Amino acid sequence: LDLITDVSCACMPFDNVDPHLIKKPLRFDVNEIKWFIFFFGPISSIVDLSAFALLFYFIAPNAPFMGGTIGAYDYSWTLAAEGSVDAMRLLSFTAIFQTGFFIESLVTQNVVYLFLRTDKLPLIQSRPSLTFGFSIVVSVLLGFFVIYVPDVQNVFGFASNPDLPWAFIAILVGLLAAYLVFALIAKK
């Protein structure tokens, strides 16, 4: 996750700065920073905990059973010998949960950069540089590549394509929208 997110972070120095922010030196206000930390930190945690709850209680338990292969490892021979279908379901649950939380973390981390980089309305009143914007798109697409390309997903033990329902991706878009609205409020 960090390596993929580093793609966009490495391009931050090449981003545009809003002209009004460089006309004169800005005053450093510790109270503004404290308010932002105490407001923004819990918002980030609430979004992550919401994703955890959705994955744990609704998505992973109701996803189709994956069978005997989790990532590059075939556990079916061990579990079949023990006769434990429940153990296979647990491995399936774990892979789906891990895959869902990976993509949620990656998408929210990258997209929130666009919202925190300016005090204006992102993408409308203030656009990132082509380099920074492109790096965010590449980073997010790389995350989806990792979870949806079979040979790559196997290396990391992610769930196979049909096991992470597209419903979760739709829910992720809703969580991301709420997160970004609160991020805009936190900046004010």
Side-chain angles (χ1 to χ4, degrees):
L1 177 66
D2 284 341
L3 287 175
I4 294 174
T5 304
D6 286 348
V7 169
S8 54
C9 289
C11 293
M12 276 184 194
F14 304 104
D15 191 21
N16 301 327
V17 178
D18 293 337
H20 74 279
L21 295 174
I22 56 175
K23 283 184 181 174
K24 64 178 182 172
L26 297 175
R27 193 165 167 259
F28 189 75
D29 186 358
V30 175
N31 288 326
E32 280 184 32
I33 294 171
K34 280 195 288 188
W35 186 87
F36 179 80
I37 289 169
F38 289 122
F39 188 80
F40 188 73
I43 291 170
S44 178
S45 296
I46 288 168
V47 169
D48 286 345
L49 291 172
S50 297
F52 257 78
L54 287 167
L55 285 163
F56 190 83
Y57 292 109
F58 302 106
I59 303 296
N62 296 315
F65 181 46
M66 271 176 38
T69 303
I70 309 291
Y73 310 103
D74 185 0
Y75 294 97
S76 58
W77 63 272
T78 306
L79 300 169
E82 297 171 12
S84 178
V85 172
D86 288 339
M88 280 307 300
R89 290 191 188 284
L90 179 62
L91 288 171
S92 179
F93 176 94
T94 304
I96 293 165
F97 186 90
Q98 176 183 337
T99 305
F101 195 66
F102 169 83
I103 202 66
E104 183 270 343
S105 297
L106 182 75
V107 170
T108 55
Q109 278 181 7
N110 277 283
V111 174
V112 83
Y113 294 153
L114 294 172
F115 281 68
L116 296 180
R117 57 173 287 284
T118 179
D119 58 354
K120 295 181 176 183
L121 193 57
L123 302 175
I124 296 171
Q125 296 173 330
S126 176
R127 293 189 177 155
S129 68
L130 186 60
T131 304
F132 185 50
F134 183 71
S135 71
I136 288 174
V137 170
V138 167
S139 185
V140 170
L141 290 177
L142 208 59
F144 278 97
F145 175 82
V146 167
I147 68 168
Y148 281 108
V149 173
D151 290 339
V152 180
Q153 73 188 189
N154 288 342
V155 170
F156 296 104
F158 289 131
S160 60
N161 295 0
D163 295 320
L164 182 65
W166 282 101
F168 177 71
I169 303 300
I171 292 168
L172 177 60
V173 170
L175 277 174
L176 185 60
Y179 187 28
L180 298 177
V181 166
F182 284 116
L184 286 173
I185 292 168
K187 291 188 320 182
K188 298 296 175 190

